[in-house]
Coordinates of all heavy atoms in Angstrom, one line a residue:
P1 N 17.4 -42.2 13.6 CA 18.1 -42.8 12.5 C 17.6 -42.2 11.2 O 18.4 -41.9 10.3 CB 17.9 -44.3 12.6 CG 16.9 -44.5 13.8 CD 16.7 -43.2 14.4
F2 N 16.3 -42.1 11.0 CA 15.8 -41.6 9.7 C 15.8 -40.1 9.6 O 15.7 -39.5 8.5 CB 14.4 -42.1 9.4 CG 13.4 -41.7 10.4 CD1 12.7 -40.5 10.2 CD2 13.1 -42.4 11.5 CE1 11.8 -40.1 11.2 CE2 12.2 -42.0 12.5 CZ 11.5 -40.8 12.3
L3 N 16.1 -39.4 10.7 CA 16.2 -38.0 10.7 C 17.5 -37.5 10.1 O 17.6 -36.3 9.7 CB 16.1 -37.4 12.1 CG 14.7 -37.6 12.8 CD1 14.8 -37.1 14.2 CD2 13.6 -36.9 12.0
V4 N 18.5 -38.3 9.9 CA 19.7 -37.9 9.4 C 19.6 -37.5 7.9 O 20.3 -36.6 7.4 CB 20.7 -39.1 9.5 CG1 22.0 -38.8 8.8 CG2 20.9 -39.5 10.9
F5 N 18.7 -38.1 7.2 CA 18.5 -37.8 5.8 C 17.5 -36.7 5.4 O 17.3 -36.4 4.3 CB 18.1 -39.1 5.0 CG 19.1 -40.2 5.2 CD1 18.8 -41.3 6.0 CD2 20.3 -40.1 4.5 CE1 19.8 -42.3 6.1 CE2 21.2 -41.1 4.6 CZ 21.0 -42.2 5.4
T6 N 16.9 -36.1 6.4 CA 16.0 -35.0 6.2 C 16.8 -33.7 6.0 O 17.8 -33.5 6.6 CB 15.0 -34.8 7.3 OG1 15.7 -34.5 8.5 CG2 14.1 -36.1 7.5
R7 N 16.2 -32.8 5.3 CA 16.8 -31.5 5.0 C 15.9 -30.4 5.6 O 14.6 -30.5 5.4 CB 17.1 -31.2 3.5 CG 18.1 -32.2 3.0 CD 18.4 -32.0 1.6 NE 17.7 -30.9 0.9 CZ 17.9 -30.6 -0.4 NH1 18.7 -31.2 -1.1 NH2 17.2 -29.6 -0.9
S8 N 16.4 -29.4 6.1 CA 15.6 -28.3 6.6 C 15.4 -27.2 5.5 O 16.4 -27.0 4.7 CB 16.4 -27.6 7.8 OG 15.6 -26.5 8.2
A9 N 14.3 -26.6 5.5 CA 14.0 -25.6 4.5 C 14.6 -24.3 4.9 O 14.8 -23.4 4.1 CB 12.5 -25.4 4.3
F10 N 15.0 -24.2 6.2 CA 15.6 -22.9 6.7 C 17.0 -23.2 7.1 O 17.4 -24.2 7.7 CB 14.8 -22.5 7.9 CG 13.4 -22.3 7.7 CD1 12.4 -23.2 8.1 CD2 12.9 -21.2 7.0 CE1 11.1 -23.1 7.8 CE2 11.6 -21.0 6.8 CZ 10.7 -21.9 7.1
V11 N 17.9 -22.3 6.7 CA 19.3 -22.4 7.0 C 19.7 -21.2 7.8 O 19.4 -20.0 7.5 CB 20.1 -22.3 5.7 CG1 21.6 -22.4 6.0 CG2 19.7 -23.5 4.8
A12 N 20.3 -21.4 9.0 CA 20.7 -20.4 9.9 C 22.1 -19.9 9.5 O 23.0 -20.7 9.5 CB 20.7 -20.9 11.3
R13 N 22.2 -18.6 9.0 CA 23.5 -18.1 8.7 C 23.4 -16.6 9.0 O 22.3 -16.0 9.0 CB 23.9 -18.3 7.3 CG 22.9 -17.8 6.3 CD 23.4 -18.1 4.9 NE 22.3 -17.7 4.0 CZ 22.1 -18.2 2.8 NH1 22.9 -19.1 2.3 NH2 21.1 -17.8 2.0
K14 N 24.6 -16.0 9.1 CA 24.6 -14.6 9.4 C 24.3 -13.8 8.1 O 24.8 -14.2 7.0 CB 26.0 -14.2 9.9 CG 26.3 -14.7 11.3 CD 27.7 -14.3 11.8 CE 27.9 -14.8 13.2 NZ 29.3 -14.4 13.6
P15 N 23.6 -12.7 8.2 CA 23.3 -11.9 7.0 C 24.6 -11.2 6.5 O 25.4 -10.8 7.3 CB 22.3 -10.9 7.5 CG 22.4 -10.8 9.0 CD 22.9 -12.2 9.4
D16 N 24.7 -11.1 5.2 CA 25.8 -10.4 4.6 C 25.4 -9.0 4.3 O 24.7 -8.7 3.4 CB 26.2 -11.2 3.3 CG 27.4 -10.6 2.7 OD1 28.1 -9.8 3.3 OD2 27.7 -10.9 1.5
Y17 N 25.9 -8.1 5.2 CA 25.5 -6.7 5.1 C 26.3 -6.0 4.0 O 26.0 -4.9 3.6 CB 25.7 -5.9 6.4 CG 24.8 -6.4 7.5 CD1 25.3 -7.1 8.6 CD2 23.4 -6.2 7.3 CE1 24.4 -7.6 9.6 CE2 22.5 -6.7 8.3 CZ 23.0 -7.4 9.4 OH 22.2 -7.8 10.4
A18 N 27.4 -6.6 3.5 CA 28.1 -6.0 2.4 C 27.4 -6.1 1.0 O 27.6 -5.3 0.1 CB 29.5 -6.7 2.3
Q19 N 26.5 -7.1 0.9 CA 25.7 -7.3 -0.3 C 24.2 -7.3 0.1 O 23.6 -8.3 0.3 CB 26.1 -8.7 -0.9 CG 27.4 -8.7 -1.6 CD 27.5 -7.8 -2.8 OE1 26.5 -7.6 -3.5 NE2 28.7 -7.3 -3.0
P20 N 23.6 -6.1 0.1 CA 22.2 -6.0 0.5 C 21.3 -6.8 -0.6 O 21.7 -6.9 -1.8 CB 21.8 -4.6 0.5 CG 23.1 -3.9 0.4 CD 24.1 -4.8 -0.1
N21 N 20.2 -7.2 -0.2 CA 19.2 -7.8 -1.1 C 18.5 -6.7 -1.8 O 17.4 -6.2 -1.4 CB 18.2 -8.7 -0.3 CG 17.2 -9.4 -1.2 OD1 17.2 -9.2 -2.4 ND2 16.3 -10.1 -0.5
W22 N 19.0 -6.3 -3.0 CA 18.4 -5.1 -3.7 C 17.0 -5.4 -4.2 O 16.2 -4.5 -4.3 CB 19.4 -4.7 -4.8 CG 20.6 -4.0 -4.2 CD1 21.9 -4.5 -4.3 CD2 20.7 -2.8 -3.4 NE1 22.8 -3.7 -3.6 CE2 22.1 -2.7 -3.1 CE3 19.8 -1.9 -3.0 CZ2 22.5 -1.6 -2.4 CZ3 20.3 -0.8 -2.3 CH2 21.6 -0.7 -1.9
L23 N 16.8 -6.6 -4.6 CA 15.4 -7.0 -5.0 C 14.4 -6.7 -3.9 O 13.3 -6.1 -4.1 CB 15.3 -8.4 -5.5 CG 14.0 -8.9 -6.0 CD1 13.5 -8.1 -7.2 CD2 14.0 -10.3 -6.3
G24 N 14.7 -7.2 -2.7 CA 13.9 -7.0 -1.5 C 13.7 -5.5 -1.2 O 12.6 -5.0 -0.9
V25 N 14.8 -4.8 -1.3 CA 14.8 -3.3 -1.0 C 13.9 -2.6 -2.0 O 13.0 -1.8 -1.6 CB 16.2 -2.7 -1.0 CG1 16.2 -1.2 -0.9 CG2 17.0 -3.3 0.2
G26 N 14.1 -3.0 -3.2 CA 13.3 -2.3 -4.3 C 11.8 -2.7 -4.1 O 10.9 -1.8 -4.3
L27 N 11.5 -3.9 -3.8 CA 10.1 -4.3 -3.6 C 9.5 -3.6 -2.4 O 8.3 -3.1 -2.5 CB 10.0 -5.8 -3.4 CG 10.1 -6.6 -4.7 CD1 10.2 -8.1 -4.3 CD2 9.0 -6.4 -5.6
A28 N 10.2 -3.4 -1.4 CA 9.7 -2.8 -0.2 C 9.4 -1.3 -0.5 O 8.3 -0.8 -0.2 CB 10.7 -2.9 1.0
F29 N 10.4 -0.6 -1.1 CA 10.2 0.8 -1.4 C 9.1 1.0 -2.5 O 8.3 2.0 -2.4 CB 11.5 1.5 -1.7 CG 12.3 1.9 -0.6 CD1 13.5 1.2 -0.3 CD2 12.0 2.9 0.3 CE1 14.3 1.5 0.8 CE2 12.7 3.2 1.4 CZ 13.9 2.5 1.7
G30 N 9.1 0.2 -3.4 CA 8.2 0.3 -4.5 C 6.7 0.1 -4.0 O 5.8 0.8 -4.4
T31 N 6.6 -0.9 -3.2 CA 5.2 -1.2 -2.6 C 4.8 0.0 -1.8 O 3.6 0.4 -1.8 CB 5.3 -2.5 -1.7 OG1 5.7 -3.5 -2.6 CG2 3.9 -2.8 -1.2
S32 N 5.7 0.5 -1.0 CA 5.3 1.7 -0.1 C 5.0 2.9 -1.0 O 4.0 3.5 -0.7 CB 6.5 2.0 0.8 OG 6.2 3.1 1.6
A33 N 5.7 3.1 -2.0 CA 5.4 4.3 -2.9 C 4.1 4.1 -3.6 O 3.3 5.0 -3.7 CB 6.5 4.5 -3.9
A34 N 3.8 2.9 -4.0 CA 2.5 2.6 -4.7 C 1.4 2.8 -3.8 O 0.3 3.4 -4.2 CB 2.6 1.2 -5.3
L35 N 1.5 2.3 -2.5 CA 0.4 2.5 -1.6 C 0.2 4.0 -1.2 O -1.0 4.4 -1.2 CB 0.7 1.7 -0.3 CG 0.5 0.2 -0.4 CD1 1.1 -0.5 0.9 CD2 -0.9 -0.1 -0.6
W36 N 1.2 4.7 -1.1 CA 1.1 6.2 -0.8 C 0.4 6.9 -2.0 O -0.5 7.7 -1.8 CB 2.4 6.8 -0.5 CG 2.8 6.7 0.9 CD1 3.7 5.9 1.5 CD2 2.2 7.5 2.0 NE1 3.7 6.1 2.9 CE2 2.8 7.0 3.2 CE3 1.2 8.4 2.1 CZ2 2.5 7.6 4.5 CZ3 0.9 8.9 3.3 CH2 1.5 8.5 4.5
A37 N 0.8 6.5 -3.2 CA 0.2 7.1 -4.4 C -1.3 6.8 -4.5 O -2.1 7.7 -4.7 CB 0.9 6.6 -5.7
F38 N -1.6 5.6 -4.2 CA -3.0 5.2 -4.2 C -3.8 5.9 -3.1 O -4.9 6.4 -3.4 CB -3.2 3.7 -4.0 CG -4.6 3.2 -3.8 CD1 -5.4 3.1 -4.9 CD2 -5.1 2.9 -2.5 CE1 -6.7 2.7 -4.7 CE2 -6.4 2.5 -2.4 CZ -7.2 2.4 -3.5
L39 N -3.3 6.0 -1.9 CA -4.0 6.7 -0.8 C -4.1 8.2 -1.1 O -5.2 8.8 -0.8 CB -3.2 6.5 0.5 CG -3.2 5.2 1.1 CD1 -2.3 5.1 2.3 CD2 -4.7 4.8 1.6
I40 N -3.1 8.8 -1.7 CA -3.3 10.3 -2.0 C -4.3 10.5 -3.1 O -5.1 11.4 -3.0 CB -1.9 10.8 -2.4 CG1 -1.0 10.9 -1.2 CG2 -2.0 12.2 -3.1 CD1 0.5 11.2 -1.5
K41 N -4.3 9.6 -4.1 CA -5.3 9.7 -5.2 C -6.7 9.5 -4.7 O -7.6 10.2 -5.0 CB -5.0 8.6 -6.3 CG -5.9 8.5 -7.4 CD -5.5 7.4 -8.4 CE -6.6 7.1 -9.3 NZ -7.7 6.3 -8.7
Q42 N -6.9 8.5 -3.8 CA -8.2 8.2 -3.2 C -8.6 9.4 -2.4 O -9.8 9.8 -2.4 CB -8.1 6.9 -2.4 CG -9.4 6.4 -1.9 CD -10.3 6.0 -3.0 OE1 -9.9 5.3 -3.9 NE2 -11.6 6.4 -3.0
H43 N -7.7 10.0 -1.6 CA -8.1 11.1 -0.8 C -8.5 12.3 -1.6 O -9.6 12.9 -1.3 CB -6.9 11.5 0.1 CG -7.1 12.8 0.8 ND1 -7.9 12.9 1.9 CD2 -6.6 14.1 0.6 CE1 -7.9 14.2 2.3 NE2 -7.1 14.9 1.5
N44 N -7.8 12.5 -2.7 CA -8.2 13.7 -3.6 C -9.6 13.4 -4.2 O -10.4 14.3 -4.3 CB -7.2 13.9 -4.7 CG -5.9 14.4 -4.1 OD1 -5.9 15.0 -3.0 ND2 -4.8 14.2 -4.8
E45 N -9.9 12.2 -4.6 CA -11.2 11.9 -5.2 C -12.3 12.0 -4.1 O -13.4 12.5 -4.4 CB -11.2 10.4 -5.7 CG -10.4 10.3 -7.0 CD -10.3 8.8 -7.4 OE1 -10.9 7.9 -6.7 OE2 -9.7 8.5 -8.4
D46 N -12.0 11.6 -2.9 CA -13.0 11.8 -1.8 C -13.2 13.2 -1.5 O -14.4 13.6 -1.2 CB -12.5 11.1 -0.5 CG -12.5 9.6 -0.6 OD1 -13.1 9.1 -1.6 OD2 -11.8 8.9 0.2
V47 N -12.2 14.1 -1.5 CA -12.4 15.5 -1.3 C -13.3 16.1 -2.4 O -14.2 16.9 -2.1 CB -11.0 16.2 -1.2 CG1 -11.2 17.7 -1.2 CG2 -10.3 15.8 0.1
V48 N -13.0 15.8 -3.6 CA -13.8 16.3 -4.7 C -15.3 15.9 -4.6 O -16.2 16.7 -4.7 CB -13.3 15.8 -6.1 CG1 -14.2 16.1 -7.2 CG2 -11.9 16.5 -6.3
E49 N -15.5 14.6 -4.2 CA -16.9 14.1 -4.0 C -17.6 14.8 -2.8 O -18.7 15.2 -2.9 CB -16.9 12.6 -3.8 CG -18.2 12.0 -3.5 CD -19.2 12.0 -4.7 OE1 -18.7 12.3 -5.8 OE2 -20.4 11.8 -4.5
Y50 N -16.8 15.0 -1.7 CA -17.4 15.7 -0.6 C -17.8 17.2 -1.0 O -18.9 17.6 -0.6 CB -16.3 15.8 0.5 CG -16.7 16.7 1.7 CD1 -17.6 16.2 2.7 CD2 -16.2 17.9 1.8 CE1 -18.0 17.0 3.7 CE2 -16.5 18.7 2.9 CZ -17.4 18.3 3.8 OH -17.8 19.1 4.9
E51 N -16.9 17.9 -1.7 CA -17.2 19.2 -2.1 C -18.4 19.3 -3.1 O -19.3 20.2 -3.0 CB -16.0 19.9 -2.8 CG -14.9 20.2 -1.8 CD -13.6 20.6 -2.4 OE1 -13.5 20.5 -3.7 OE2 -12.7 21.1 -1.7
R52 N -18.5 18.3 -4.0 CA -19.7 18.2 -4.9 C -21.0 18.0 -4.1 O -22.0 18.7 -4.3 CB -19.5 17.0 -5.8 CG -20.6 17.0 -6.9 CD -20.6 15.7 -7.7 NE -20.8 14.5 -7.0 CZ -22.0 14.1 -6.6 NH1 -23.1 14.8 -6.9 NH2 -22.2 13.0 -5.9
R53 N -21.0 17.1 -3.1 CA -22.2 16.9 -2.3 C -22.5 18.1 -1.4 O -23.7 18.4 -1.2 CB -22.0 15.7 -1.4 CG -22.0 14.4 -2.2 CD -21.9 13.2 -1.3 NE -21.8 12.0 -2.0 CZ -22.0 10.8 -1.5 NH1 -22.3 10.6 -0.2 NH2 -21.9 9.7 -2.3
Q54 N -21.5 18.8 -1.0 CA -21.8 20.1 -0.2 C -22.5 21.1 -1.1 O -23.4 21.8 -0.6 CB -20.5 20.6 0.4 CG -19.9 19.8 1.5 CD -20.9 19.7 2.7 OE1 -21.6 18.7 2.8 NE2 -20.9 20.7 3.6
R55 N -22.0 21.2 -2.3 CA -22.6 22.2 -3.3 C -24.0 21.8 -3.6 O -24.9 22.6 -3.7 CB -21.8 22.3 -4.5 CG -20.6 23.1 -4.4 CD -20.0 23.4 -5.8 NE -19.8 22.3 -6.6 CZ -18.7 21.5 -6.7 NH1 -17.7 21.8 -5.9 NH2 -18.6 20.5 -7.5
E56 N -24.3 20.5 -3.7 CA -25.6 20.0 -4.0 C -26.6 20.3 -2.8 O -27.7 20.6 -3.0 CB -25.6 18.5 -4.3 CG -25.6 18.1 -5.7 CD -25.7 16.6 -5.8 OE1 -26.1 15.9 -4.9 OE2 -25.3 16.1 -6.9
K57 N -26.1 20.1 -1.7 CA -26.9 20.3 -0.4 C -27.3 21.8 -0.3 O -28.4 22.1 0.1 CB -26.1 19.9 0.8 CG -26.8 19.9 2.1 CD -25.9 19.7 3.3 CE -25.8 18.3 3.7 NZ -25.1 18.1 4.9
Q58 N -26.4 22.7 -0.7 CA -26.7 24.1 -0.6 C -27.6 24.6 -1.7 O -28.1 25.7 -1.6 CB -25.4 24.9 -0.5 CG -24.6 24.6 0.7 CD -23.2 25.2 0.7 OE1 -22.8 25.9 -0.3 NE2 -22.5 25.1 1.8
H59 N -27.7 23.9 -2.8 CA -28.5 24.3 -3.9 C -30.0 24.2 -3.6 O -30.5 23.1 -3.3 CB -28.1 23.5 -5.1 CG -28.8 23.9 -6.4 ND1 -28.4 25.1 -7.0 CD2 -29.8 23.4 -7.1 CE1 -29.1 25.3 -8.1 NE2 -30.0 24.3 -8.2
K60 N -30.7 25.3 -3.6 CA -32.1 25.3 -3.2 C -33.1 25.5 -4.3 O -34.3 25.8 -4.1 CB -32.4 26.4 -2.1 CG -31.5 26.2 -0.9 CD -31.9 25.0 -0.1 CE -31.1 24.9 1.2 NZ -31.3 23.8 2.0
C61 N -32.7 25.4 -5.5 CA -33.5 25.7 -6.7 C -34.6 24.6 -6.8 O -34.3 23.4 -6.8 CB -32.7 25.7 -8.0 SG -33.6 26.0 -9.5
T62 N -35.9 25.0 -6.9 CA -37.0 24.0 -7.0 C -37.2 23.7 -8.5 O -37.8 22.6 -8.7 CB -38.3 24.6 -6.5 OG1 -38.6 25.9 -7.1 CG2 -38.1 24.9 -5.0
G63 N -36.7 24.4 -9.4 CA -36.9 24.1 -10.8 C -36.0 23.0 -11.3 O -36.2 22.4 -12.4
C64 N -34.9 22.6 -10.6 CA -34.0 21.6 -11.0 C -34.5 20.2 -10.8 O -34.1 19.3 -11.4 CB -32.6 21.8 -10.3 SG -31.8 23.3 -10.7
S65 N -35.4 20.0 -9.8 CA -35.8 18.7 -9.4 C -36.7 18.0 -10.4 O -37.6 18.6 -11.0 CB -36.4 18.7 -8.0 OG -35.6 19.3 -7.1

């Protein structure tokens, strides 16, 4: 009897493919692009650091220390 007056937070309906959710599409692609940009930037920084450490390791000068 008291369940008649409750409302569900979820509504079951068929998706409307004629009107895509452009905000959701933009957020999905934007997030993906931002993550890829961050990963590429981080990779490039890691490569530079790796090469710097390799050069340091090969440097045998005793006067620098």
Side-chain angles (χ1 to χ4, degrees):
F2 61 89
L3 293 177
V4 175
F5 298 107
T6 61
R7 293 181 2 178
S8 174
F10 304 101
V11 178
R13 61 180 172 205
K14 291 184 179 179
D16 183 12
Y17 295 114
Q19 290 292 331
N21 180 2
W22 290 113
L23 179 62
V25 171
L27 284 173
F29 280 110
T31 303
S32 179
L35 285 172
W36 273 106
F38 173 75
L39 287 172
I40 291 169
K41 176 182 167 282
Q42 188 66 44
H43 172 72
N44 290 339
E45 289 175 0
D46 290 345
V47 168
V48 168
E49 179 67 15
Y50 172 79
E51 289 172 349
R52 184 189 67 78
R53 289 184 183 195
Q54 289 299 97
R55 282 193 309 269
E56 261 184 19
K57 186 191 265 186
Q58 293 173 358
H59 187 73
K60 301 289 183 187
C61 178
T62 56
C64 295
S65 305

